[in-house]
């Protein structure tokens, strides 16, 4: 399985931290089991879900005990049904139990994120809009959640504060206006995308004149979005943001905007119900 570079970047350290906070100086309950005891375990989902997190599960058991075998029955991005076996584990009973919680924590959260994204992606499946995540992620798990977003059929906005500009109201005020903010961004980091948030059609015109690559339409009405699409006429990409719900999502998509950003893709996800049982 090939992960995008941003997800690979902190995979090992993220798993190491998760294991450290759970195991501490030793799993005292697992020590009740004879060291030589071997076991086979199956992990199932108790509900329908888009599965995501294979690399994190593999890394957990690699760090706990490299001799543990993980046999996957599904792939990331695959829809699993209730009671379906996701993977089997074989090896030291102690190791399987020690790694269980950290592995399932990653898998249930990332599968929950992917499942939430699939729900939203299905709503706009008949349009050309791309649904984008935001930086509203669980601290320390941004890269993992960003990957999960892609497995649910949505797309990544910028990963962090370093890979693209997103100039908002306070930035504009501190820079002395939209034109100054956009021009300074292009001078400081040529080649990086410059996106700017606007709150009116007048500000949209200023952003287009300044040469912004993407313009975020903050809490625009549907009529204003349609006017923005006509006014922009392909000069920049348009991103709608704010008050996006199941009910408003499709009407927003049908205005013709290029992107819709939704914080709920990562911050409103519900963990998938998983279970591990020894066979």
């Amino acid at each position: 399985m090939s992960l995008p570079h941003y997800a690979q970047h902190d995979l090992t350290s993220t798993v190491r931290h998760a294991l450290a906070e759970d195991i501490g100086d030793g799993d005292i309950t697992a020590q009740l089991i004879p060291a030589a005891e071997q076991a086979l375990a199956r992990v199932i989902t108790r509900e329908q879900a888009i599965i995501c997190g294979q690399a994190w599960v593999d890394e957990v058991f690699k760090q706990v005990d490299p001799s543990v075998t993980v046999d996957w029955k599904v792939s990331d991005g695959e829809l699993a049904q209730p009671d379906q076996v996701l993977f089997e584990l074989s090896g030291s009973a102690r190791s399987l139990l020690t790694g269980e919680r950290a592995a399932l924590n990653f898998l249930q959260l990332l599968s929950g994120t992917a499942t939430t994204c699939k729900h939203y992606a299905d709503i706009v499946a008949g349009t050309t809009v791309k649904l984008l995540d935001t930086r509203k992620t669980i601290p320390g798990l941004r890269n993992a959640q960003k990957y999960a977003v892609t497995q649910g059929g949505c797309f990544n906005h910028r990963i962090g504060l370093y890979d693209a500009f997103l100039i908002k109201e306070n930035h504009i005020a501190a820079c002395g206006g939209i034109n100054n903010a956009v021009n300074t961004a292009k001078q400081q980091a040529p080649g990086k995308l410059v996106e700017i948030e606007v709150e009116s059609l007048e500000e949209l015109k200023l952003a287009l004149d300044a040469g912004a690559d993407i313009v975020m339409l903050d809490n625009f009405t549907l009529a204003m979005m349609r006017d923005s699409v006509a006014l922009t006429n392909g000069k920049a990409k348009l991103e709608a943001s704010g008050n996006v719900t199941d009910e408003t999502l499709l009407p927003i998509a049908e205005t013709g905007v290029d992107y819709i950003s939704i914080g709920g893709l990562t911050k409103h996800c519900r963990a998938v119900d998983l279970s591990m049982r020894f066979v």
Side-chain angles (χ1 to χ4, degrees), residues 35-62:
E37 185 76 16
Q38 298 291 296
L40 172 66
R42 292 193 178 110
V43 171
I44 67 168
T45 175
R46 296 191 181 278
E47 58 186 306
Q48 187 180 81
I50 300 295
I51 300 305
C52 182
Q54 181 176 339
W56 287 264
V57 172
D58 290 346
E59 184 64 23
V60 164
F61 289 103
K62 176 183 176 183

Side-chain angles (χ1 to χ4, degrees), residues 60-246:
V60 164
F61 289 103
K62 176 183 176 183
Q63 292 190 25
V64 168
D65 180 353
S67 69
V68 169
T69 298
V70 186
D71 181 15
W72 284 92
K73 308 300 182 182
V74 297
S75 300
D76 281 353
E78 185 175 331
L79 178 65
Q81 301 299 330
D83 299 321
Q84 183 174 339
V85 176
L86 305 181
F87 63 94
E88 293 182 347
L89 295 164
S90 58
S92 163
R94 286 185 177 184
S95 298
L96 267 55
L97 291 168
T98 295
E100 174 188 1
R101 186 69 270 149
L104 295 193
N105 281 351
F106 282 115
L107 190 62
Q108 69 187 19
L109 171 69
L110 299 183
S111 295
T113 302
T115 301
T116 296
C117 290
K118 181 63 163 59
H119 167 75
Y120 283 109
D122 283 348
I123 294 175
V124 297
T127 73
T128 59
V129 78
K130 289 186 176 182
L131 303 185
L132 305 179
D133 56 24
T134 70
R135 287 167 43 242
K136 297 174 183 177
T137 53
I138 294 175
L141 291 175
R142 166 145 332 149
N143 291 333
Q145 279 198 291
K146 288 277 189 177
Y147 169 70
V149 164
T150 68
Q151 298 307 292
C154 295
F155 298 84
N156 295 146
H157 206 288
R158 59 179 180 163
I159 302 300
L161 296 171
Y162 55 88
D163 57 328
F165 290 96
L166 179 46
I167 305 167
K168 296 193 174 186
E169 179 183 8
N170 289 330
H171 299 103
I172 294 170
C175 288
I178 288 174
N179 191 65
N180 284 346
V182 172
N183 286 339
T184 302
K186 288 182 174 291
Q187 291 169 9
Q188 287 186 354
K192 288 192 182 293
L193 281 175
V194 177
E195 179 171 0
I196 190 160
E197 179 184 75
V198 300
E199 298 178 347
S200 67
L201 290 172
E202 290 70 26
E203 289 187 349
L204 170 60
K205 293 175 184 177
L206 291 174
L208 294 174
D209 289 343
D213 300 303
I214 306 174
V215 181
M216 178 185 287
L217 310 176
D218 183 38
N219 289 304
F220 274 36
T221 66
L222 293 176
M224 290 172 66
M225 290 181 200
R226 286 189 287 268
D227 288 344
S228 297
V229 171
L231 177 65
T232 301
N233 194 27
K235 296 175 186 175
K237 298 292 187 181
L238 294 179
E239 174 185 335
S241 178
N243 297 319
V244 180
T245 67
D246 284 14

